[in-house]
Amino acid sequence: MSQYGAIIAGTGSFVPEKRLTNDDLSKMVDTNDEWIVQRTGIRERRVVSEGESTATLATAAARKALEAAGIEPKDLDLIVCGTISGEMVFPSTACFVAAALGLNSTPAFDISAACSGFLYTLQTGVSFIKSGLYRNVLVIGAETLSRLTDYTDRGSCILFGDGAGALVLQRSPDPKLGVIYSSLHADGHGWEMLCCKPGSRHPIGEALLAERNQYMKIRGREVYKFAVQRFEELIEDALRKCELKPEDVSLIVPHQVNQRIIDSAMHKLGLGMEKAYVNIDKYGNTSAASIPIAFDEAVRAGKINPGDVIVMVAFGAGLTWANAVVRM
Ligand code: COA
């Protein structure tokens, strides 16, 4: 066990101004507000406008997190960004964020783990702190999924939105504070359930574009079952490993995948819905950005306070799944 803790010193989030409502989508594909709300809980999502991109959202969230932590960009030892819709194929989005913050030698890199991306990023930042190497690490989840969404496919276009969230992790002399537990998992056999194909196997060209494979493809019903099962297992694992009872947990901040998935898992676990922070109605699924946006909103709404125990769970393409437990 490390002699250090990795505490959350500040949080921030940013979403674009532009709203895409269910009524807007019903003018684009054969769907309607009632179906979308009933099946997903989503009422609207935010999408970027011209001039906005994953790095601009990430930088805006990062500035707020730095301000909340009371530190300057120059105090950062590392920047890690979880994203699957980065600024470019390369360089990494984290490099663009570092430059926008005025930094010119701070290490910066991205992590790709889809909807589990933020928890993979968090655990990476925590490991650098607990190893004793770094004191201040900025971890970000940022996505512009509207750029990868097929707005002719009603089975997927209703789900996704854009946004970014960031946390400043700081070294603490108390190893029992901050992120006290995390587990990360992956099973690449399930890659076809959820994917976006452009890359070395499917280079961008006519064959790819003819099948509209420049966009995300999902098998919603299969992902649904996977998500409910993992959600429960991840919560049970977190409680067992940290020797916590359900009543010890102040708040669960889940990946915002689908209101029904969250309701169903919370019900099966015997937990009241007041224990889950949900904002999917406003933003849809923002993949790696969903947990840090929700976490920041909960902090700013006074729903996360010193001494609280917070459990985060995520699952997504890869397949990947992950959890984290924080003692504030
Ligand atoms: N509007 C109206 N009808 C729609 C629709 C839409 N936007 N999308 C699908 N339908 C139709 C289907 O065509 C199907 O019609 P049919 O019965 O005539 O064949 C019917 O609704 C049911 O489709 P189904 O896909 O079984 O619905 P569902 O209850 O599973 O809900 C999702 C679909 C996508 C909302 C749900 O499966 C889900 O949230 N899955 C996980 C989401 C995900 O993958 N997130 C990303 C990874 S974390």
Side-chain angles (χ1 to χ4, degrees):
M1 189 166 135
S2 167
Q3 65 188 108
Y4 301 117
I7 59 163
I8 296 171
T11 67
S13 62
F14 183 83
V15 292
E17 281 283 309
K18 190 173 168 193
R19 293 175 151 85
L20 185 65
T21 66
N22 292 347
D23 285 339
D24 293 333
L25 286 166
S26 69
K27 293 179 191 118
M28 299 155 79
V29 289
D30 181 13
T31 190
N32 57 73
D33 178 59
E34 195 190 346
W35 193 96
I36 301 172
V37 172
Q38 254 181 24
R39 298 287 177 127
T40 69
I42 303 168
R43 293 182 183 275
E44 61 180 30
R45 53 304 281 138
R46 302 298 183 92
V47 292
V48 288
S49 301
E50 209 181 320
E52 289 181 311
S53 59
T54 305
T56 69
L57 307 183
T59 304
R63 286 192 200 284
K64 291 186 185 177
L66 288 166
E67 194 189 337
I71 64 167
E72 300 287 326
K74 66 173 171 44
D75 301 321
L76 290 172
D77 300 308
L78 174 68
I79 299 175
V80 194
C81 181
T83 185
I84 49 163
S85 52
E87 193 73 358
M88 298 182 185
V89 173
F90 67 85
S92 69
T93 300
C95 281
F96 285 96
V97 173
L101 293 175
L103 301 170
N104 57 14
S105 84
T106 307
F109 63 91
D110 287 358
I111 285 184
S112 168
C115 298
S116 312
F118 182 71
L119 295 187
Y120 270 67
T121 303
L122 180 75
Q123 179 60 6
T124 303
V126 166
S127 302
F128 275 104
I129 287 180
K130 287 195 174 261
S131 72
L133 193 60
Y134 294 141
R135 281 179 190 278
N136 291 309
V137 177
L138 177 65
V139 289
I140 307 170
E143 303 284 9
T144 307
L145 295 176
S146 61
R147 301 283 198 223
L148 304 180
T149 298
D150 184 350
Y151 287 103
T152 67
D153 173 15
R154 70 175 182 172
S156 66
C157 74
I158 57 159
L159 299 171
F160 301 107
D162 303 340
L167 266 56
V168 171
L169 295 172
Q170 213 157 57
R171 186 198 288 177
S172 151
D174 185 350
K176 294 199 189 76
L177 273 187
V179 181
I180 52 173
Y181 175 72
S182 174
S183 75
L184 311 177
H185 311 268
D187 179 3
H189 296 96
W191 72 269
E192 270 184 302
M193 242 189 250
L194 261 165
C195 61
C196 188
K197 288 185 175 163
S200 61
R201 190 187 293 192
H202 301 282
I204 295 170
E206 271 177 35
L208 182 103
L209 300 177
E211 305 267 311
R212 300 184 74 76
N213 273 329
Q214 70 271 40
Y215 298 118
M216 291 182 281
K217 302 279 182 198
I218 70 161
R219 296 184 190 160
R221 204 174 279 186
E222 287 173 54
V223 178
Y224 191 99
K225 284 187 202 146
F226 160 75
V228 173
Q229 189 191 344
R230 293 300 183 220
F231 191 127
E232 290 170 48
E233 288 170 8
L234 287 164
I235 298 276
E236 282 165 355
D237 170 74
L239 296 179
R240 197 170 51 246
K241 296 282 173 36
C242 296
E243 297 180 7
L244 293 167
K245 293 191 279 304
E247 55 271 30
D248 299 329
V249 177
S250 319
L251 194 67
I252 291 171
V253 181
H255 168 49
Q256 306 289 309
V257 53
N258 179 318
Q259 178 80 51
R260 281 193 299 148
I261 292 175
I262 299 170
D263 289 349
S264 158
M266 294 293 286
H267 179 74
K268 283 191 182 161
L269 287 159
L271 296 167
M273 272 311 288
E274 72 288 349
K275 283 249 170 167
Y277 190 84
V278 182
N279 62 7
I280 192 168
D281 54 321
K282 297 189 289 182
Y283 308 130
N285 177 349
T286 57
S287 194
S290 91
I291 289 181
I293 293 174
F295 198 97
D296 177 54
E297 280 194 356
V299 167
R300 286 172 196 264
K303 294 185 179 196
I304 294 179
N305 294 297
D308 282 356
V309 173
I310 314 298
V311 180
M312 297 179 256
V313 291
F315 20 75
L319 299 168
T320 55
W321 60 104
N323 62 10
V325 181
V326 188
R327 192 181 294 280
M328 297 298 289

